[in-house]
Each structure stands twice: as C-alpha cells, then as structure tokens.
Amino acid sequence: DGGITQSPKYLFRKEGQNVTLSCEQNLNHDAMYWYRQDPGQGLRLIYYSQIVNDFQKGDIAEGYSVSREKKESFPLTVTSAQKNPTAFYLCASSIAGGSSGNTIYFGEGSWLTVV
Amino acid sequence: KNQVEQSPQSLIILEGKNCTLQCNYTVSPFSNLRWYKQDTGRGPVSLTIMTFSENTKSNGRYTATLDADTKQSSLHITASQLSDSASYICVVSKGGSYIPTFGRGTSLIVHP
C-alpha cells in the first residue's frame, strides 16, 4: 500500500540525548514536511523539503535538524538543544511543483517523551 | 497575518444528532480550503477540499460549505456516530505557496 511510514510510534528520550524520528514515503511525492503537535494546539511546521538535498526551516526549527538525501526519506533529529521536545510529531508529504492545490498526506505520527 | 480560526474549540453531542463546525480565515490570496479529521493519536486524514468556485462539497455524512466573500467555511456532520469523535482541522492554502495554514481544530465528542 502507498503511504507514509513513521517510526518509532513511541520514543522515550533522556535529557541531553539526541533522537531521530524516521519518515519514509512511497507516494513518489517531491515535498515532505515535519510538524509538531502539542495538546490543544494546532500543527506547527518544523522543517519542509521541496526536493532532494534541499530543505527550509519552518516556524519552530530551533533544536531540530533534518536531512533529505533520498526522495523517499526525511528523518528528523530532535537535538538536546530543543528544551521542550515532548510532543506528537507528524511527517507529511505532497506533490510539489508550486501548486498549492495539492493535498498533504500525513503519517501516523510519533510520540516523543523526555524522561 | 494569515490566520485560520476555528470554533467551537470543543463540542459534545449525542449520537445521531447533527452538528456544524466553523472556520474563519484571513489567508490571502486564497487558493483552497481543506477539512481534515484527526483521530486521537493518529495522523490527520483529508475529508474535503474546496476551491474558490465551490460552495458546497459532500463526503458521505460530511458536508463542507465555503463562502469566499466572507472567508468562512463550515463542516456539517449529519446523523453523528461514535466514530465521528475526533479533532476536525481546517486548513487553508495561499495562492503560490504550498505551505498551508492550519487551524487549531475543533474537538468533537459523540456520546451514546
């Protein structure tokens, strides 16, 4: 089945550690995104990528890093510099090309908890 | 500033009843508006997409309306079911950009 796969679903991190969330898509989409969702809050954009080897910061990029070495993969690293990383993280993708009429498809999300 | 405001923030209804969720936006220039359904702990799933020229679009028991003049949209749910309990998110895209603006969502709880 085509879709977006995020892993792990649940992750616990000790303070001071970096963790990486995986996101893989087989939809042949050019654009990929990472969003953060806190309880009662809307989705906030962390990073997005239009094409391979290129990505841009979103609204809350501080403390996060990404890479886009392959079209299918867009991993997110939550670094120790992120002071409040406990949240629900959503990876998404869409057909790019400059059109704003493309639906964004989401993965099932990853829960990150700092212990 | 491009914004999307949703109301109410939360809503509790009895199974079988109808309800309407509201979305007001200031995003300009407008390209399209989507409603997503997000079950707890899951990723959002698209319900409808509406462009400037569309006033109404249905998807089963979900009907979305759009008034581009007043920059308002609504999502009407008919004969609610327990499985409708979820957060409903309004998402507005700006012309020339594929970074949409998300509303905070309306949390709907359907009680038996």
Side-chain angles (χ1 to χ4, degrees):
Chain A
D1 288 344
I4 302 171
T5 301
Q6 290 187 235
S7 63
K9 179 68 177 179
Y10 301 96
L11 184 61
F12 296 88
R13 189 196 91 172
K14 293 182 179 180
E15 288 190 14
Q17 286 184 335
N18 293 351
V19 293
T20 298
L21 307 181
S22 170
C23 179
E24 303 280 332
Q25 56 98 359
N26 60 6
L27 300 169
N28 200 32
H29 286 170
D30 291 305
M32 297 188 74
Y33 315 77
W34 273 106
Y35 288 91
R36 170 178 171 146
Q37 188 174 36
D38 294 283
Q41 302 294 317
L43 275 68
R44 292 185 289 170
L45 182 64
I46 304 173
Y47 268 98
Y48 64 100
S49 169
Q50 301 179 43
I51 57 173
V52 175
N53 293 322
D54 185 57
F55 49 83
Q56 287 80 40
K57 294 181 178 180
D59 300 321
I60 56 165
E62 184 176 355
Y64 300 97
S65 65
V66 294
S67 62
R68 188 82 187 279
E69 297 177 359
K70 298 187 300 182
K71 185 177 184 178
E72 303 80 14
S73 180
F74 192 42
L76 173 73
T77 296
V78 184
T79 74
S80 57
Q82 171 50 237
K83 298 306 179 185
N84 186 23
T86 296
F88 187 53
Y89 291 87
L90 285 161
C91 179
S93 70
S94 70
I95 298 172
S99 170
S100 57
N102 299 313
T103 296
I104 293 181
Y105 296 86
F106 288 88
E108 286 300 295
S110 293
W111 290 94
L112 173 63
T113 302
V114 173
V115 297
Chain B
K1 182 179 179 180
N2 294 317
Q3 288 186 318
V4 176
E5 300 291 338
Q6 293 188 241
S7 62
Q9 183 175 354
S10 61
L11 182 61
I12 301 174
I13 62 173
L14 292 176
E15 185 179 13
K17 298 296 185 181
N18 303 336
C19 67
T20 300
L21 314 179
Q22 300 290 341
C23 175
N24 296 338
Y25 62 91
T26 60
V27 175
S28 181
F30 174 83
S31 175
N32 62 73
L33 183 148
R34 300 184 183 88
W35 284 93
Y36 281 82
K37 178 186 179 187
Q38 183 179 23
D39 292 317
T40 301
R42 308 287 297 276
V45 175
S46 179
L47 292 175
T48 65
I49 178 172
M50 302 183 72
T51 59
F52 185 87
S53 60
E54 296 175 302
N55 300 117
T56 303
K57 182 168 283 189
S58 293
N59 178 2
R61 293 179 297 101
Y62 301 102
T63 299
T65 65
L66 174 65
D67 186 335
D69 292 330
T70 62
K71 298 186 177 181
Q72 296 179 327
S73 175
S74 65
L75 180 69
H76 186 75
I77 304 174
T78 303
S80 61
Q81 301 176 358
L82 299 180
S83 60
D84 291 331
S85 294
S87 178
Y88 292 85
I89 304 172
C90 178
V91 184
V92 182
S93 290
K94 181 178 179 179
S97 170
Y98 59 88
I99 304 299
T101 301
F102 287 77
R104 292 191 172 191
T106 292
S107 176
L108 174 65
I109 298 175
V110 180
H111 278 310

